[in-house]
Structures are given as C-alpha cells and as structure tokens.
Amino acid sequence: MNKKILLVSALVVLLISCVLFTGCTDNAGTANTTTQITSVPGSPKYVTGDIVRNPAYETAWLIMGYNSSTDSYRRAQIYPNADGSWGYRTNSNTDTVTRTVFEKTNTEKITNKPLSSIVIRRPTTVATTLATITPSTTGNTTTPTATTTTSPTGKPTFKKIVPDEGTAGTAVPITALTGTNFQNGATVRLMKADTNITATNVNVQSSTTITCTFNIPSNVTAGAWDVVITNPDGQYVNYANIFSIHVPLVITTTTSSSNSQGITSISPTFTYGNDVPMTIIGTDFQQGFTAKLTRSTGSSLTIEARQVGWDSPTQVKAWFTLPSPKQRATYNVILTMPDGTTRSLPNGFEVK
C-alpha cells in the first residue's frame, strides 16, 4: 500500500514539473522582458522634416530628404521666428551632404515639422517701444505718465545676429542682433579690412536687442565680415567673422581657348564640414577633366579633387576633402579639360 502511494506521488510530481517546464519554454522572452531597440549601424539618424543643428550655431538645417543610394541628406537652412519657434527659410536653395559628415557635426535635433508648413520669406523687422505709458489716476481724471528707460553705461557685448549672411547687391534686414548694454543712438557696422558697411534703420529696441538693415554694395568682397556695435559714449564690441557675404553666381569664360565656357552653377555653394561632394553645371565638359578649389580670400591654398565623375557635357561631379583645421574662406572652382581649356567660377564656394 505504501509503495503504491509513493509511486502515485512521484508521478504527480513528475507531471507538475513537465507542465512548469513547458510553460516556461513557451513564455520565454515575453514575460517581464523589456525590448531594447537599437539602430542599425550606418542607418540614417534623421528623417524628412527634422530640424537639426550644430549646437555651436544659432541657425539650423531642415532635412528635405534622404537618398539611400548615395547615403546623403538633402537639406536647407532654416531660421527661428521672432517668437523663438521654428521656422522659415529665406530662399528655396537646398544642397546635398553625405550622412556621415552631416551627423558628425549636427547632433542636436530641435523638432520635426511638415515641409509644407515651412514658409519662404524675407526676414521682417518687428518694431517695439522702449517706453511704456502708465495711467495715473487723480480724482476722476486719468493722466498718462511716461515711464522712461535708463541707458546702460557698461561696454556692449555681442551674442548673435539673425540672419548671419547676405548677398552682395541686396538689402538685408537684421531681425535680431542681441547682446547687452546697447544704448539709444548706437551704430552698427560690417567691417572687412579697411571697408565698412554702416547699417541703416537702426532701432535699439532694448539694452539687449537691436534691429537694422545692411544695404550691401554689389562690388564688395565675398567672405566673412566682422560686426561692430558702437554706443554713443564710444564704447564698442567687435565680433570677428560672424557675418557672411555671398557674391551671386556668374558665368565666366577663360581666354585659353575660344571654345572655353564658364560654370553656370554648383551645388552645394558652401559647407560646414570637411567632405564636399559637389555637382557642377556648365557646358562642353570633357571626359578626363580635373577639378580643384583655389582660395580667393586670405592665404593661398589649392585643394585638388580626390575624385571626379563625368555625367554629361553639361554636368560633372567632384569630391573634395578640406584640410583640418578649417578656416572660413571663399574659393574659386576650376575645371581643366584634357584639351587645356578651363572652366571657372570665381568666389563660387564658401567654407563656413
């Protein structure tokens, strides 16, 4: 009798163990488990509509799309609105940059917006008043009383300028020049070497904000310019190489041959990174050409293309690697054909 009881008990224990083991096997990976999702190495970090930037800069980039075949982003520069929200574009320009280069320097994602919601417009000046009117009541009569603002006495400082670039031959409204200790009657200038561009419509909105307009002559030198703010008491601040002036693209020809043609356009026209894949549009491009960049501002420097590609007589590609550390400068784009003729675009490319 005792043997039968022990045998039955052993069978029951064995059956329970099998059920428990089977249950654990069927539920493995589902109970009390947190799924870790990691990105595939080499996959794009950003998607269309993302607004991202280099934390060292105030302006940002709008992702217009991603091309998996070239592993590159198409992007456009975007600016914050006056209330700090994002954003607007000043033109329809876009350029292409390799994903690895772009993601290395632009690490801060701000937000994502539908492309259709991003407007293209020129910046507008938002006017405000320095003094407020406070009503004071005496009996049944209300008399407005002006509240004045005391001008600061310290040396002015500079934080940022929006926008931070303009094109020669145009008027550029500055919507936000920010800093501290700005006084009524302050002047604002762009300076490069011995050349000055004095701002008009200067409006000292407060001790921390100025709006103004730069009327940029068509014959100025392209490149980086200083911003100088001077108070009426003579104290000033000079922020070097903060404002970029671009020269409109022009068609040029060389004198080496009557068949020589110029370059009509390039993309991109500027870069923040070290790797530059450039598309060049023009006429009569020949297979077997070479490409180079020559610095047109500052010290002499020539950068030979590490690789070139011939698409058609009107379009070619060139890949450049910029030396480190980079310096802000403007470059000429020069192509040399096998027959000795050249195609060039003076001041066509800028390193920021």
Side-chain angles (χ1 to χ4, degrees):
M1 182 67 178
N2 291 337
K3 290 182 178 180
K4 291 182 178 180
I5 293 174
L6 291 175
L7 180 60
V8 170
S9 300
L11 290 174
V12 170
V13 171
L14 179 62
L15 179 61
I16 292 174
S17 300
C18 291
V19 170
L20 290 176
F21 177 79
T22 302
C24 291
T25 302
D26 291 341
N27 293 330
T30 60
N32 300 321
T33 301
T34 301
T35 303
Q36 299 292 332
I37 302 176
T38 58
S39 60
V40 179
S43 61
K45 180 179 179 181
Y46 303 121
V47 298
T48 299
D50 279 351
I51 298 175
V52 298
R53 69 177 175 186
N54 183 326
Y57 297 94
E58 295 297 333
T59 55
W61 293 102
L62 172 66
I63 302 300
M64 305 294 291
Y66 170 74
N67 188 328
S68 59
S69 63
T70 60
D71 193 25
S72 60
Y73 290 111
R74 187 165 64 91
R75 63 182 184 176
Q77 225 167 8
I78 188 170
Y79 297 87
N81 295 314
D83 61 2
S85 63
W86 293 85
Y88 69 92
R89 297 167 58 192
T90 59
N91 53 49
S92 59
N93 293 345
T94 65
D95 64 63
T96 301
V97 62
T98 56
R99 177 185 60 82
T100 52
V101 170
F102 181 77
E103 292 180 356
K104 182 177 180 180
T105 57
N106 295 272
T107 57
E108 180 182 344
K109 176 181 174 181
I110 299 172
T111 186
N112 181 283
K113 298 185 69 173
L115 298 184
S116 59
S117 69
I118 308 298
V119 298
I120 296 179
R121 63 175 172 81
R122 295 298 300 171
T124 55
T125 301
V126 181
T128 59
T129 6
L130 286 175
T132 58
I133 304 299
T134 305
S136 61
T137 305
T138 304
N140 295 325
T141 304
T142 301
T143 304
T145 303
T147 302
T148 59
T149 303
T150 303
S151 293
T153 57
K155 179 180 178 179
T157 65
F158 178 94
K159 290 185 179 178
K160 68 176 181 179
I161 184 171
V162 178
D164 61 359
E165 61 181 354
T167 302
T170 66
V172 182
I174 303 301
T175 60
L177 200 167
T178 60
T180 61
N181 295 329
F182 298 153
Q183 298 176 6
N184 287 326
T187 60
V188 183
R189 290 175 297 160
L190 295 177
M191 293 183 60
K192 187 176 183 68
D194 297 328
T195 305
N196 294 334
I197 301 174
T198 302
T200 60
N201 303 322
V202 178
N203 179 10
V204 182
Q205 296 183 346
S206 69
S207 62
T208 60
T209 304
I210 293 176
T211 61
C212 60
T213 300
F214 288 122
N215 295 289
I216 305 176
S218 58
N219 60 344
V220 299
T221 302
W225 288 61
D226 300 351
V227 171
V228 182
I229 306 164
T230 306
N231 280 336
D233 62 7
Q235 297 188 89
Y236 69 94
V237 59
N238 183 340
Y239 200 99
N241 300 326
I242 189 63
F243 192 89
S244 297
I245 294 182
H246 310 286
V247 174
L249 298 180
V250 295
I251 300 175
T252 61
T253 58
T254 63
T255 57
S256 58
S257 169
S258 59
N259 186 44
S260 182
Q261 299 287 331
I263 298 170
T264 58
S265 66
I266 63 173
S267 179
T269 58
F270 64 91
T271 186
Y272 288 102
N274 291 84
D275 187 71
V276 182
M278 182 181 293
T279 300
I280 304 170
I281 305 299
T283 55
D284 294 332
F285 293 149
Q286 303 168 13
Q287 297 189 52
F289 72 97
T290 60
K292 64 183 178 180
L293 300 175
T294 61
R295 190 151 59 189
S296 56
T297 57
S299 58
S300 176
L301 177 64
T302 298
I303 303 173
E304 302 285 348
R306 70 173 188 271
Q307 180 182 348
V308 296
W310 186 89
D311 295 334
S312 71
T314 59
Q315 177 175 302
V316 296
K317 292 184 175 66
W319 288 262
F320 297 96
T321 300
L322 303 181
S324 295
K326 299 194 309 300
Q327 295 181 354
R328 298 181 67 157
T330 303
Y331 287 81
N332 306 313
V333 182
I334 301 174
L335 305 183
T336 302
M337 302 301 135
D339 63 3
T341 61
T342 60
R343 320 286 186 263
S344 64
L345 185 62
N347 302 317
F349 187 73
E350 183 179 4
V351 176
K352 295 191 174 183

